[in-house]
Amino acid sequence: MRERHTFQLIRRAREFEAFVAGAAGRLLHAATLLTAESAEDNPRAQRLLTAALSRTYAAWDRLHGEDPYTYARQQLAYRFLMMSWRLREGRGGVLGVLSPQERLVLVLRVHEGVAEEQTAALLGLPMERVRTLCFRAMSVLLSADSGALHLTSLDTARGVARVRP
């Protein structure tokens, strides 16, 4: 019995390690965008990712067929919302001019490709509010005055087209 439990723990650790190897880079990039830190110096984003991944590991056995990336992304969003009251001051980074809520909606919709309905359900907001936040954030970033975002890649252009009606 003890050997079986040990093998299950080893299997769980290996599965989680493989998941982290594949998903941690993208989740760290999303966390860096959320915290509006630079990619080279992002201690808040790393702490945010560590908290989300630790919650994902704690719930690993209860996921039963769910996508662990979706669960980790939800935990990242929840952790960001809990710490966002400390991030009201402007930061560097591309999304530093946006409010924390606008950053979260924009990262979920454009960077992560989450549907509007799922974003609204995740944040507990009406779909109209999510749509408004996304359009407001995009208009701020794409305005000529801000100069915060320059569309240079085809993927970014596709992401912008995906959130338009």
Side-chain angles (χ1 to χ4, degrees):
M1 182 72 167
R2 187 169 271 197
E3 288 179 16
R4 182 174 162 199
H5 183 66
T6 304
F7 287 130
Q8 287 175 343
L9 290 177
I10 291 171
R11 182 182 50 88
R12 175 185 183 194
R14 285 184 182 159
E15 286 175 354
F16 186 75
E17 186 178 322
F19 164 72
V20 169
R26 185 169 175 92
L27 287 169
L28 179 61
H29 185 66
T32 303
L33 289 173
L34 288 173
T35 57
E37 295 174 315
S38 67
E40 296 81 28
D41 185 30
N42 55 2
R44 284 185 176 169
Q46 290 176 3
R47 284 194 304 266
L48 187 65
L49 178 63
T50 302
L53 288 177
S54 65
R55 293 290 297 175
T56 303
Y57 184 72
W60 192 258
D61 291 334
R62 294 187 312 261
L63 291 178
H64 298 299
E66 286 184 53
D67 183 15
Y69 186 82
T70 302
Y71 187 83
R73 184 176 52 215
Q74 288 173 347
Q75 290 301 315
L76 191 71
Y78 292 147
R79 299 284 174 240
F80 176 73
L81 285 175
M82 289 185 344
M83 69 177 275
S84 66
W85 63 272
R86 293 179 286 190
L87 298 174
R88 294 203 187 274
E89 73 275 0
R91 294 237 179 260
V94 175
L95 304 181
V97 296
L98 301 175
S99 72
Q101 194 175 37
E102 289 172 337
R103 267 184 270 161
L104 181 58
V105 169
L106 193 67
V107 167
L108 288 174
R109 294 278 295 126
V110 176
H111 179 68
E112 290 292 318
V114 178
E116 195 171 272
E117 298 83 15
Q118 291 174 326
T119 303
L122 177 67
L123 302 178
L125 297 172
M127 280 188 357
E128 294 79 19
R129 178 70 177 147
V130 169
R131 187 177 303 126
T132 301
L133 284 168
C134 191
F135 283 136
R136 185 180 303 148
M138 288 301 294
S139 66
V140 166
L141 291 177
L142 294 175
S143 71
D145 296 339
S146 74
L149 181 66
H150 299 286
L151 294 177
T152 57
S153 73
L154 187 58
D155 292 335
T156 305
R158 285 186 191 131
V160 171
R162 195 173 42 230
V163 296
R164 291 189 177 146

